DNA sequence: CCAGTAAATGCAATCGATTGCGCTATTATA
DNA sequence: TATAATAGCGCAATCGATTGCATTTACTGG
């Protein structure tokens, strides 16, 4: 207590010229008098009800009054208290977003899409990360419910194999939209890209480039996107008369190390693969590193395609072909779906599933045949 | 209207078995009866005041009552309404974060640090992105104020050269903490890394490796971090008896293209540079690409070091040396500062500035001399 | 000139939790 | 055995905005 007093004393002495020395930092003199609609009411000479209605452009308030109120509000720098409003009409104007991680171009772009769409409609977003951890995802749902969000948008974590935590959201009647990493075990609106078609195109492109022994990197099969990508890969092979070999499908965590290990595995098994279509950009970079370490020439000996168009795919040597998932568009559509749910008529609707098209981006890692059709400099396949 | 009716009609017909066919989707029958402390009060046979106090572990409530209340709360699945509480005691338990973009490992890691620290203390975070756009930054501040956040943590946008929008935050007495991209024009608590020292180390390392004509990539000088990095670079040169040449400092937007252009510029001017220390990883990747395109050998002919330890620096060929900024730690310290501000005694304190150490990460792009001290294979400097 | 209607605004309750003050018992002190 | 203190809990106001209903004023038609 002595010591404390000592310090406080010093502070007190030094801070007698509060404004001069310490500026505004915690300066007790600067009392934040909150201004409410009542202050406006006083100013204009009406009641708070009228002010509230004027501010909300209620039809029963005369234009003259509205004008006065608006002006007074501006004059005294009024800021509506969203919390009070939220309490009254039960809407927080907050949207909760759960993504595995925002530290991915794909997800942060989706978030941006949602954010812009929502902000334009006077809604704000709360972003949470599940870090692909099931427990954290459950907690996060709870936290968002706690925060009284008006809706929740989710991309599932990789380890999420049970969906009970979403039932409470649904039961509370809170709009729920899934995007990208979804499940069919829940009857919920969703926005996805056409993973099947994208994978089909990617695989087809590899075949066009003369690759015939195409491996596939995938992740846990509970998540639909990986299943779909596998399906597209498989179908493209079959449609081109190429045997589908389950041994060529390698499962991993789809991170850098997973990709490295998977590539190592392929090399060790000597299946004679000449291309990899990976469901993740991270894994394909890992593979690229491992292959280069083993003096495998890309794309001459092995062709590579990733998935997601992460920025670094442009920076590798050679640049990696990949699939652009139109992340911003996914975000916008997800948000749009939410607003449809809260604005549309409340009668039950069948589940909506928006499927967007993806874009194959062809770079060097899969371009064995010169894109110009001259045969001059073309390296012959194999 | 006809068409609409038609659809609605169909829906209606199909949805008579609401639960059976459509499940819970917007099903009007599932009314969410909100449960409040009054319900608990009724259950236990006390008043809402007592329930509230029991829930908040107030000392004046008997242990017996507390137990009953807690049990009843659990039993009827009570969830406190944060909004009501927020309205009452003026605390939203929300923290607003503004970063230029979350789509960067550095920033998203900081956010993670803040988030975890805050969540552990029952606070939630709202993340907003300024996209390095001044106007957006101003709007965002406003939006956070609107949402009645209890505190704001900011990393400045690159184009932010005026700070008036923060004055309103300060005037309202809302704790404000800057991190990483800060300014000294505002008297605000801040958490930064020792950019000067990091830059000094990086430059020194290049010199150790025998590079003598070291260029520097930088950005707008209004942002302190870039100034500090420049200072560190300069001092390291001087301390090693190397002439500091302003011509070797190249300014750009610090993105990929900026880095490319800057490298192009250096090549064109033929200053005879043999290394680049860039204040951004993105710019150094651009430079790397441009140099490789011109058959410049890295690190034999030119050494490179970036800044931030973005994940892709590991993926390039060769892997890039860079500076790890301990992002998570920055986040934690930023959050900690906020809690100090709201918990500490309200008397004015002098501004706090936490300076954390950064870590030089040495990879191939700057390693001309084998790290083992044998002279056998060592390429001689110059 | 009056009933009748529409337009414009006020009154007061409400959303759910918190909290200062006050009222009883119960226990401690003299 | 008083008196004082204290523990345990209820009353009612409060936070700021919203809103159903009531009220007042103005205006129209007959």
């Amino acid at each position: 207590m002595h010591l404390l007093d000592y310090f406080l004393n010093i502070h007190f002495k030094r801070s007698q010229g509060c404004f001069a020395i310490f500026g505004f930092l915690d300066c007790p003199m600067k009392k934040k008098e909150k201004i409410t609609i009542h202050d406006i009411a006083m100013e204009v000479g009406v009641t708070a009800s009228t002010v509230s209605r004027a501010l909300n452009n209620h039809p029963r308030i005369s234009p003259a009054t509205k004008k006065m109120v608006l002006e007074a509000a501006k004059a005294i720098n009024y800021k509506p208290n969203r919390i009070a409003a939220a309490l009254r009409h039960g809407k927080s104007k907050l949207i909760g977003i759960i993504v595995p991680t925002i530290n991915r171009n794909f997800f942060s772009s989706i978030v941006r899409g949602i954010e812009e769409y929502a902000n334009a409609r006077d809604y704000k977003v709360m972003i949470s990360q599940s870090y692909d951890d099931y427990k954290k995802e459950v907690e996060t749902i709870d936290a968002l419910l706690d925060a009284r969000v008006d809706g929740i948008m989710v991309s599932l974590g990789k380890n999420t194999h049970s969906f009970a935590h979403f039932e409470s959201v649904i039961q509370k009647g809170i709009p729920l939209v899934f995007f990208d990493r979804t499940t069919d075990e829940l009857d919920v609106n969703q926005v996805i890209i056409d993973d099947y078609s994208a994978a089909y195109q990617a695989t087809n492109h590899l075949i066009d480039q003369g690759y015939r022994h195409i491996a596939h990197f995938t992740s846990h099969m509970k998540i639909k996107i990986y299943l779909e990508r596998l399906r597209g890969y498989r179908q493209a092979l079959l449609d081109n008369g190429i045997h589908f070999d389950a041994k060529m499908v390698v499962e991993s965590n789809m991170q850098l190390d997973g990709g490295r290990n998977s590539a190592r595995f392929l090399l060790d098994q000597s299946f004679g693969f000449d291309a990899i279509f990976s469901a993740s950009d991270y894994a394909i970079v890992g593979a690229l590193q491992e292959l280069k370490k083993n003096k495998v020439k890309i794309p001459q000996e092995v062709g590579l395609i990733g998935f997601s168009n992460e920025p670094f795919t442009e920076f590798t040597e050679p640049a990696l072909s990949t699939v652009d998932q139109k992340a911003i568009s996914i975000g916008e559509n997800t948000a749009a779906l939410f607003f449809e749910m809260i604005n549309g008529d409340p009668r039950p609707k069948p589940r909506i599933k928006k499927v967007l098209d993806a874009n194959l981006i062809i770079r060097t890692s899969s371009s064995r045949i010169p894109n110009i059709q001259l045969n001059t400099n073309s390296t012959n396949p194999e």
Side-chain angles (χ1 to χ4, degrees), chain A:
Chain A
M1 227 9 187
H2 270 39
L3 209 69
L4 184 63
D5 272 335
Y6 174 72
F7 281 115
L8 294 181
N9 210 2
I10 293 203
H11 276 138
F12 192 69
K13 277 189 193 144
R14 292 177 61 196
S15 64
Q16 39 186 0
C18 172
F19 288 95
I21 299 185
F22 293 107
F24 20 66
L25 251 191
D26 277 350
C27 180
M29 276 153 230
K30 286 236 176 155
K31 268 295 152 228
K32 36 197 162 173
E33 343 79 18
K34 2 213 164 200
I35 40 196
T36 73
I37 50 172
H38 293 94
D39 300 316
I40 303 180
M42 184 128 305
E43 202 73 19
V44 180
V46 293
T47 59
S49 333
T50 304
V51 173
S52 172
R53 291 193 176 98
L55 255 22
N56 290 305
N57 202 25
H58 188 103
R60 299 289 286 264
I61 299 296
S62 74
T65 310
K66 280 179 187 169
K67 189 158 164 287
M68 296 180 66
V69 168
L70 263 342
E71 280 169 2
K74 228 151 295 171
I76 63 180
N77 193 28
Y78 166 78
K79 283 263 179 194
N81 187 329
R82 308 275 183 174
I83 295 189
L87 174 59
R88 182 62 230 263
H89 60 228
K91 309 223 153 297
S92 64
K93 299 256 190 172
L94 273 180
I95 296 174
I97 304 179
I98 304 179
V99 287
T101 170
I102 49 173
N103 182 18
R104 287 275 191 95
N105 188 51
F106 177 56
F107 287 120
S108 62
S109 297
I110 292 180
V111 167
R112 177 167 188 168
I114 296 176
E115 204 179 3
E116 295 194 338
Y117 198 99
N119 285 348
R121 284 155 187 79
D122 200 27
Y123 272 70
K124 295 177 189 26
V125 304
M126 289 189 60
I127 307 166
S128 307
Q129 308 182 63
S130 69
Y131 305 108
D132 276 324
D133 178 39
Y134 172 72
K135 193 152 155 283
K136 177 89 178 156
E137 188 175 291
V138 176
E139 288 170 8
T140 299
I141 283 285
D142 223 54
L144 291 179
L145 254 27
D146 252 34
R148 291 297 207 272
V149 294
D150 289 343
I152 297 183
M153 317 191 169
V154 187
S155 196
L156 292 170
K158 274 191 190 147
N159 306 314
T160 302
H161 305 145
S162 148
F163 308 97
H165 48 308
F166 293 111
E167 300 286 0
S168 61
V169 177
I170 294 165
Q171 273 174 31
K172 285 191 203 310
I174 295 175
L176 182 62
V177 186
F178 280 11
F179 57 87
D180 192 55
R181 300 222 206 133
T182 68
T183 176
D184 277 341
E185 294 191 22
L186 233 41
D187 195 17
V188 165
N189 289 345
Q190 47 184 262
V191 178
I192 54 176
I193 62 153
D194 195 338
D195 284 287
Y196 170 83
S197 160
Y200 188 97
Q201 284 177 55
T203 310
N204 216 54
H205 162 66
L206 286 172
I207 297 170
D208 279 353
Q209 293 287 316
Y211 301 105
R212 288 294 176 275
H213 306 289
I214 305 170
H216 178 50
F217 286 1
T218 186
S219 177
H220 300 295
M221 295 300 177
K222 261 280 187 170
I223 305 209
K224 252 193 92 201
I225 53 171
Y226 295 115
L227 259 177
E228 288 298 297
R229 291 173 196 176
L230 174 58
R231 273 189 52 226
Y233 155 78
R234 186 167 176 275
Q235 195 59 45
L237 292 182
L238 298 181
D239 286 357
N240 283 277
I242 301 179
H243 175 62
F244 168 77
D245 186 354
K247 288 204 307 293
M248 297 289 266
V249 177
V250 191
E251 196 176 323
S252 80
N253 64 2
M254 299 309 257
Q255 299 303 304
L256 194 67
D257 61 324
R260 270 199 275 250
N261 293 337
S262 298
R264 179 79 261 143
F265 173 79
L266 286 176
L267 290 169
D268 289 347
Q269 303 296 314
S270 56
F271 290 149
F273 72 102
D274 63 1
I276 304 173
F277 163 52
S278 164
S280 149
D281 274 341
Y282 284 84
I284 203 69
V285 170
L288 174 62
Q289 293 179 338
E290 191 66 28
L291 293 176
K292 280 166 78 174
K293 199 197 289 176
N294 287 274
K295 313 282 181 211
V296 177
K297 286 194 186 118
I298 317 291
Q300 289 77 22
E301 295 172 10
V302 171
L304 302 177
I305 298 190
F307 211 107
S308 285
N309 193 25
E310 292 288 340
F312 57 74
T313 53
E314 239 183 322
F315 304 162
T316 56
E317 178 73 21
L320 285 163
S321 298
T322 185
V323 174
D324 177 37
Q325 298 170 275
K326 310 247 197 72
I328 302 243
S329 175
I330 292 181
E332 289 167 346
N333 276 280
T334 304
L337 213 43
F338 163 76
F339 284 101
E340 282 175 33
M341 291 171 79
I342 61 170
N343 292 328
D345 82 292
R347 264 173 281 197
K349 293 186 239 339
R351 183 178 60 180
I352 299 170
K353 180 191 265 183
K354 287 196 194 176
V355 181
L356 311 178
D357 279 330
N359 243 4
L360 182 61
I361 296 181
I362 299 171
R363 299 205 185 95
T364 314
S365 73
S366 68
S367 302
R368 187 146 69 165
I369 301 175
N371 43 9
I372 303 166
Q373 295 298 40
L374 306 174
N375 269 342
T376 350
N377 273 326
S378 75
T379 323
N380 242 359
E382 289 282 15

